[in-house]
Amino acid sequence: MNSFKSPRLAALLAALLLAGATGAAIAAAKGKKPAGLERYGVAVYSDLCLQKDSGEIGGQRVTLHRFAEADSVIYEFTAGALSWPIVASDVNLDAATGAFDFTIAGADSEERTIVGKFSKDGQTLTLEGDYCGGNVRMPMKLSRVRDFGRPLKTCTPCPPMPEAPAPVPAQDGAEAPAA
C-alpha cells in the first residue's frame, strides 16, 4: 500500500500544517518582532547602488557567516567595479552590544580593520568611517538583503566639499596662512 494515499497520513499531515500555520499567525498577531542577529546562518548587508552619471556600481557588501566554531566575513567594495570577494581575518562580534569588527588585507597587502555595529533587530549594519573622500564624516549604513533579485537603487551623491577659507594677506604684502 502506498503510504501517501493513506487517509490517516493525509489527515495527520493536514493537522500538522494547520498547527504550524496557526502558530505563526498567533505569533504575528501578538506583534512579536523578528529576533536580532541570528546565532547561526548567513546574513548579507549591502549599500550597493548605481551611480546616476556613469552607471557604475558604488558601495560595499558584507556577508557574515555564523558557525558554531567561529564567525567569518566576506567583504566586497567598489572602486569603479565590484572587487573580488575578500575573506576577512580576525572577525569579532559581540552579540550583546552588536559591536563588530574584522580585518582585511588590501591589494597592497596592508591590513585594514573595519569597525561597525549591528542594530538591535539585526536589520542594519552601520560601519564607521566615511565614503565621501574625507570631506564629511558619514557613517555607512548597510541594510540586510532579503531580496537578492531587486534592482539596485541610485547612489546618494556626497555633499559638496566645504570651501577652504581664503588666505589672509600679511602686512608686508606676503600671504599669511589662514587661522
Side-chain angles (χ1 to χ4, degrees):
M1 175 164 102
N2 186 347
S3 63
F4 291 109
K5 293 185 179 180
S6 166
R8 280 185 166 171
L9 183 59
L12 178 63
L13 287 174
L16 288 173
L17 287 172
L18 182 60
T22 304
I26 291 171
K30 287 183 179 179
K32 285 190 178 179
K33 294 189 177 192
L37 194 58
E38 293 88 2
R39 175 58 196 108
Y40 300 102
V42 178
V44 178
Y45 295 85
S46 173
D47 67 353
L48 292 178
C49 57
L50 283 176
Q51 299 289 344
K52 188 175 183 179
D53 303 345
S54 65
E56 293 180 336
I57 297 175
Q60 56 198 327
R61 179 168 44 208
V62 174
T63 305
L64 173 64
H65 298 96
R66 304 214 62 205
F67 300 107
E69 300 80 24
D71 298 325
S72 68
V73 167
I74 296 175
Y75 178 71
E76 298 165 277
F77 64 94
T78 59
L82 195 59
S83 71
W84 287 100
I86 301 170
V87 178
S89 61
D90 196 24
V91 177
N92 300 297
L93 173 58
D94 183 343
T97 64
F100 177 61
D101 67 79
F102 58 92
T103 303
I104 60 168
D108 57 359
S109 297
E110 187 175 319
E111 287 192 343
R112 185 174 127 207
T113 299
I114 297 176
V115 179
K117 187 171 183 171
F118 289 99
S119 62
K120 288 186 188 267
D121 64 2
Q123 299 306 304
T124 305
L125 169 60
T126 303
L127 299 178
E128 291 179 4
D130 69 85
Y131 56 89
C132 285
N135 61 343
V136 178
R137 295 291 293 176
M138 294 178 62
M140 297 159 278
K141 287 193 175 234
L142 286 67
S143 300
R144 185 156 182 186
V145 178
R146 301 248 185 226
D147 179 5
F148 293 92
R150 69 172 169 78
L152 295 177
K153 62 182 181 182
T154 302
C155 295
T156 304
C158 291
M161 184 82 133
E163 292 184 29
V168 178
Q171 291 179 351
D172 62 358
E175 289 185 8

